[in-house]
Amino acid sequence: MKTPKRHLFTSEAVAVGHPDKLADQIADAVLDAVLAKDPIARVACEVLVSTGIVFVTGQITTDCYVDIPKIARETVREAGYEDPHMGFDWETCAVVTAIDEQSPDISIGVGLKDGEIGAGDQGIMIGYATDETPEYMPLPIMLARKMMRRLEEARKKGILEFLRPDGKCQVTVAYDERTPVRVHTVVLSAQHKDIPIEQVREGLMEEVIKKVIPAKMIDKKTNFFINPTGRFVEGGPKADTGLTGRKLIVDTYGGRAGHGGGSFSGKDPTKVDKSAAFMARYAAKNVVAAGLAKECEVQVAYAIGVPRPLAVFVDTMGTGVISDHDIRHIIERHFDFRPKAMIESLNLRRPIYLDMCRYGYFGREGEQFLWERLDKVEALRSDAGLK
């Protein structure tokens, strides 16, 4: 679909202490602990957090032992819930576990006799890239994530001593066709101690917003809504139930691309919800970096127990220098979307997931983010007949 000439686009990000994101972190902390001892374990961990309780459930098949209550408490502590006066803290919260093994009916479709790995479930997965930022990501989600990183830094370093762990933000960017021209609106809500709201707003403006949003992107018409209700003292799981997998758009592209609906957190890489979404990003990013398109969305569909995807769909939103049909065939020649191949290519059987679930899985640097490599660029250009 062609991008309208002038438009606004908004993306959201949340703090590490947001209840839903806290649930994601606990699920991924359990996953990492299991993978560290048993790289071929089958894990599908789900978490709910609420007032005074962490409930960990799901299916885990492994021969190793991990101390789930200890892992959950440590993750809660790292997120900043150390003070019982907040109504939720790592020492006094109850941790309840209800873990089963993976269903044998699913297991027979994953481990195939020929050594292949079948898709752990049916579903559609989507990868996306755009050339509007150096990270090949949409600007609104990158700015929103950076604000949440800065919010955590300001809290942990004591730059803003009134901050507590919960928080979220939205950034709206004005575009002229595909080019971001200015920040239209910033919404920032941060949990705080019971102090005057004027002090909170001034601190957040100076130490978070102005430290992240480029001055050239702000003008006199830019709107700022900082703790717009006027009070955000009660937060975290005491104020709002958190559940794994409710921040899917925050985890990916901020709403710019489609989403198949599957969560990444708490799942081992035989779950194509995770591995195929990573591979689709790998393909889309290399397509854009190779100059085949300025924007690219790749959709992959699977059936449970079947290694090869049922279909691959490519949409360059009218920016491709060759047809989307031809780009799809090039992608299929250079990227192997079978689960076993994706796991090996991206080295996914490692305890790497807790850190990445905090601030998104795409547009980040580090040896764990192998889907962010641009090592296919020259091969794609050559296959497309580009000089």
Side-chain angles (χ1 to χ4, degrees):
M1 181 173 63
K2 189 176 181 181
T3 303
K5 181 172 176 54
R6 292 180 181 174
H7 65 281
L8 304 175
F9 196 87
T10 305
S11 292
E12 175 193 35
V14 298
V16 293
H18 186 281
D20 292 329
K21 188 47 63 181
L22 180 62
D24 286 344
Q25 291 169 81
I26 296 169
D28 275 326
V30 172
L31 172 65
D32 279 356
V34 174
L35 290 180
K37 293 184 176 182
D38 181 6
I40 61 171
R42 304 278 173 78
V43 182
C45 183
E46 308 284 350
V47 176
L48 178 147
V49 296
S50 189
T51 304
I53 190 168
V54 175
F55 184 70
V56 184
T57 186
Q59 295 77 42
I60 301 177
T61 301
T62 181
D63 292 330
C64 76
Y65 170 77
V66 297
D67 189 338
I68 291 178
K70 182 178 180 181
I71 293 166
R73 292 184 189 281
E74 180 60 23
T75 307
V76 170
R77 188 189 67 79
E78 288 182 1
Y81 290 103
E82 301 177 281
D83 184 353
H85 291 97
M86 284 190 262
F88 183 88
D89 73 285
W90 71 285
E91 289 186 296
T92 65
C93 68
V95 180
V96 180
T97 62
I99 304 293
D100 290 317
E101 291 189 342
Q102 185 181 68
S103 161
D105 295 345
I106 296 175
S107 183
I108 59 173
V110 177
L112 304 180
K113 293 180 180 179
D114 60 0
E116 278 289 356
I117 297 174
D121 202 351
Q122 72 175 49
I124 56 174
M125 294 82 215
I126 291 172
Y128 174 81
T130 173
D131 66 355
E132 72 181 63
T133 65
E135 299 89 355
Y136 294 91
M137 290 286 288
L139 181 61
I141 187 64
M142 295 305 294
L143 292 177
R145 286 181 186 166
K146 289 175 182 178
M147 283 180 60
M148 291 296 93
R149 277 188 175 277
R150 176 59 182 173
L151 188 72
E152 182 183 20
E153 180 182 41
R155 175 176 61 83
K156 285 188 171 181
K157 292 184 177 180
I159 297 169
L160 296 175
E161 294 184 347
F162 57 77
L163 287 177
R164 286 179 167 176
D166 200 355
K168 58 184 3 180
C169 72
Q170 285 182 183
V171 179
T172 301
V173 174
Y175 285 79
D176 187 353
E177 293 186 342
R178 300 187 61 261
T179 303
V181 293
R182 57 183 290 268
V183 170
H184 179 277
T185 300
V186 175
V187 181
L188 175 58
S189 296
Q191 187 186 12
H192 58 88
K193 295 179 182 178
D194 194 359
I195 63 172
I197 189 61
E198 294 77 16
Q199 183 180 343
V200 174
R201 286 172 172 162
E202 180 182 0
L204 291 173
M205 172 62 83
E206 296 299 321
E207 293 296 339
V208 178
I209 294 175
K210 288 185 178 181
K211 297 292 186 182
V212 171
I213 307 297
K216 65 180 181 180
M217 297 292 288
I218 297 175
D219 58 28
K220 293 180 180 180
K221 294 183 179 180
T222 300
N223 302 302
F224 297 99
F225 297 92
I226 303 173
N227 280 27
T229 68
R231 182 178 172 86
F232 189 0
V233 173
E234 188 170 289
K238 183 179 186 295
D240 188 15
T241 299
L243 189 64
T244 308
R246 287 206 298 206
K247 285 292 170 276
L248 307 182
I249 300 304
V250 170
D251 287 341
T252 53
Y253 307 102
R256 179 68 67 82
H259 199 294
S263 170
F264 301 155
S265 290
K267 297 178 180 178
D268 76 82
T270 66
K271 309 294 190 297
V272 285
D273 285 337
K274 171 174 277 180
S275 51
F278 296 169
M279 184 62 81
R281 161 66 176 176
Y282 187 21
K285 184 176 180 181
N286 276 267
V287 164
V288 173
L292 275 63
K294 293 181 177 295
E295 193 173 0
C296 182
E297 181 174 303
V298 178
Q299 182 199 83
V300 191
Y302 289 88
I304 188 170
V306 180
R308 294 191 178 277
L310 308 180
V312 177
F313 172 75
V314 172
D315 183 5
T316 63
M317 295 78 174
T319 68
V321 299
I322 59 177
S323 72
D324 291 354
H325 174 82
D326 289 340
I327 292 176
R328 175 175 66 84
H329 283 299
I330 290 172
I331 286 174
E332 290 176 325
R333 286 194 288 270
H334 293 272
F335 297 89
D336 191 338
F337 285 92
R338 293 174 299 164
K340 182 179 180 181
M342 294 188 295
I343 290 169
E344 292 175 352
S345 172
L346 302 177
N347 195 9
L348 298 178
R349 294 194 187 276
R350 299 179 289 159
I352 58 176
Y353 299 107
L354 173 56
D355 175 65
M356 65 180 64
C357 92
R358 290 173 174 144
Y359 293 109
Y361 293 78
F362 310 119
R364 297 178 62 182
E365 297 180 349
E367 61 85 23
Q368 67 269 45
F369 297 97
L370 293 183
W371 47 92
E372 296 294 320
R373 293 173 295 175
L374 294 175
D375 56 343
K376 302 282 189 180
V377 168
E378 293 306 318
L380 298 186
R381 289 183 62 81
S382 177
D383 201 345
L386 301 181
K387 295 182 180 180

